[in-house]
């Protein structure tokens, strides 16, 4: 399987925060931000694998600062680590006050995607070669995140095994 660099998957998406994107505080809805994060991460995963992908997990989305209406948000995503069929994607969100030019790190997120073949089954993806110091740090810490993902999944499985689903709603 061939190798790819993070640059091959790097995706940048910018949006202007409109009134319909904001809550009663005048800042972007968390759910709107999450949708942007999932979309840009999926594009990065598809660029890396050149396959359709599905979101397997969103490990976290850490909201670090509010984004006000009228500001822009710029999302940067790239594949930070790979498994056999899965890709971890890192997303960094930066907001900008377009009147002052002040830019703020607004959110970070890690998501996992699985590449699919023509029949909808998981398929192999290329390995990743980090180039920058940031990319190397992210790859070096990826195994710990993978371990936490597996632990969280086991805990979720144990929890949902105790839930009941009513026949009628």
């Amino acid at each position: 399987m061939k190798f790819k660099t993070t640059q091959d998957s790097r995706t940048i998406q910018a949006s202007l925060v409109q009134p319909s994107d904001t809550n009663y505080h005048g800042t972007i809805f968390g759910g709107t931000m999450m949708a942007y994060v999932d979309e840009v991460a999926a594009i990065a995963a598809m660029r890396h694998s050149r396959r359709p992908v599905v979101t397997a997990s969103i490990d976290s989305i850490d909201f670090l600062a509010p984004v006000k209406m009228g500001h822009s948000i710029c999302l940067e995503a790239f594949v930070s680590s790979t498994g056999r069929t899965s890709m971890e994607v890192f997303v960094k969100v930066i907001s900008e006050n377009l009147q002052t030019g002040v830019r703020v790190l607004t959110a970070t997120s890690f998501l996992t995607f699985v590449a699919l073949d023509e029949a909808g089954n998981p398929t192999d993806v290329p390995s990743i070669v980090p180039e920058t110091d940031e990319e190397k740090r992210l790859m070096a810490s990826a195994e710990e995140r993978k371990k936490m993902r597996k632990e969280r999944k086991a805990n979720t499985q144990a929890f949902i095994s105790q839930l009941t689903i009513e026949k009628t709603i």
Side-chain angles (χ1 to χ4, degrees):
M1 173 98 353
K2 91 181 211 188
F3 292 85
K4 289 190 171 183
T5 67
T6 53
Q7 193 60 34
D8 293 324
S9 66
R10 190 170 307 275
T11 303
I12 296 174
Q13 178 178 321
S15 294
L16 182 64
V17 179
Q18 301 287 341
S20 61
D21 299 325
T22 61
N23 57 32
Y24 64 89
H25 298 294
T27 60
I28 195 167
F29 281 114
T32 301
M33 176 86 71
M34 291 171 70
Y36 287 150
V37 165
D38 190 38
E39 179 180 41
V40 73
I43 294 169
M46 286 187 272
R47 282 183 168 169
H48 180 79
S49 65
R50 294 297 173 197
R51 295 283 189 174
V53 300
V54 292
T55 307
S57 74
I58 299 176
D59 291 359
S60 64
I61 182 163
D62 294 313
F63 298 102
L64 307 172
V67 182
K68 295 180 180 175
M69 181 180 63
H71 289 195
S72 70
I73 58 170
C74 182
L75 296 93
E76 176 184 1
F78 56 85
V79 173
S80 53
S81 176
T82 57
R84 187 177 63 78
T85 63
S86 64
M87 297 157 281
E88 177 191 75
V89 178
F90 174 66
V91 180
K92 179 174 25 177
V93 182
I94 297 172
S95 65
E96 181 179 353
N97 180 326
L98 295 170
Q99 293 179 343
T100 66
V102 173
R103 295 171 54 103
V104 176
L105 180 62
T106 301
T108 60
S109 186
F110 286 96
L111 302 88
T112 303
F113 291 84
V114 174
L116 303 176
D117 65 15
E118 295 77 16
N121 298 311
T123 189
D124 291 350
V125 298
S127 297
I128 194 79
V129 177
E131 297 178 301
T132 69
D133 288 342
E134 179 181 63
E135 294 163 0
K136 290 173 185 175
R137 281 191 302 276
L138 288 168
M139 181 175 256
S141 59
E143 193 58 41
E144 181 63 26
R145 286 187 300 278
K146 184 176 181 179
K147 179 182 168 190
M148 291 187 312
R149 244 178 252 125
K150 285 184 177 187
E151 188 176 302
R152 186 179 70 240
K153 186 174 183 178
N155 290 338
T156 298
Q157 291 297 327
F159 174 72
I160 64 173
S161 71
Q162 300 171 14
L163 297 178
T164 58
I165 299 174
E166 297 298 323
K167 294 181 180 176
T168 59
I169 296 178

